Amino acid sequence: MIRVLLADDQSLVRAGFKALLDAQPDIGVAGEAADGEEALRRVRELRPDVVLMDIRMPRVDGLAATRGITGDPDLQAVKVVMLTTFELDEYVFEAIRSGASGFLVKDTEPEELLRAVRAVVEGNALLSPGVTRRLISEFAARSKQPAALASLSALTEREREVMALVGIGLSNEEIARRLVVSPLTAKTHVSRTMVKLGARDRAQLVVLAYESGLVRPGWLG
């Protein structure tokens, strides 16, 4: 059973998500929170698998709560998906840097929300459909000046190549086709790269790919 914590200051939003999630045989809502401070407290108490976290909340916002979760070694297994009203909310970039596994717009289709919850549990980054490349392009334009990362020296040439492809938004299947390997082989390369770099998920690989200069703005064409 995938245990989810809902963090949103709007009770109607939480109620809608709860009804949808609790109707699934493999997903259940473990708890709710109305602001970031309560969300962090409930995460430490309940240890859910996934937190659906609204960005804008009173007292402590979703970004601060996310940093509290991802920065706590005892909560490394908890995945955070940010919820936002706008597809390219200015805070999404900071959210991914803060360790969120991805984001969804609040009016996403129910099937996409369910897919998101299941995907992040498996270690995949999750971005709203249709905006993945656009988000990465925007992230690249806003990213800091590339800095050399010593940890990249631990990667093989193929792992660097795979990391660059993850950085421009390709899925495992797309990477497999590009490199003419099986999807399982592509997934293995991605997993090994994440382990070597200590990345929580694919979203952090994207951040590292840009901040290290491995991928540069303009590569999306």
Side-chain angles (χ1 to χ4, degrees), residues 66-79:
T66 296
R67 285 191 291 269
I69 293 170
T70 60
D72 188 335
D74 292 334
L75 302 177
Q76 287 299 302
V78 180
K79 305 296 185 181

Side-chain angles (χ1 to χ4, degrees), residues 45-118:
E45 173 190 344
L46 299 172
R47 305 298 173 97
D49 301 299
V50 180
V51 181
L52 294 181
M53 181 87 74
D54 187 20
I55 288 181
R56 296 185 179 92
M57 291 187 290
R59 295 203 296 177
V60 175
D61 65 23
L63 290 174
T66 296
R67 285 191 291 269
I69 293 170
T70 60
D72 188 335
D74 292 334
L75 302 177
Q76 287 299 302
V78 180
K79 305 296 185 181
V80 180
V81 175
M82 305 302 297
L83 300 172
T84 178
T85 305
F86 306 103
E87 286 185 342
L88 288 179
D89 191 298
E90 62 181 340
Y91 296 116
V92 168
F93 309 101
E94 183 60 31
I96 293 178
R97 275 204 179 98
S98 297
S101 295
F103 83 102
L104 284 173
V105 289
K106 287 187 178 181
D107 61 354
T108 190
E109 293 295 324
E111 294 78 10
E112 178 61 19
L113 176 66
L114 297 174
R115 186 185 75 81
V117 171
R118 296 179 177 117

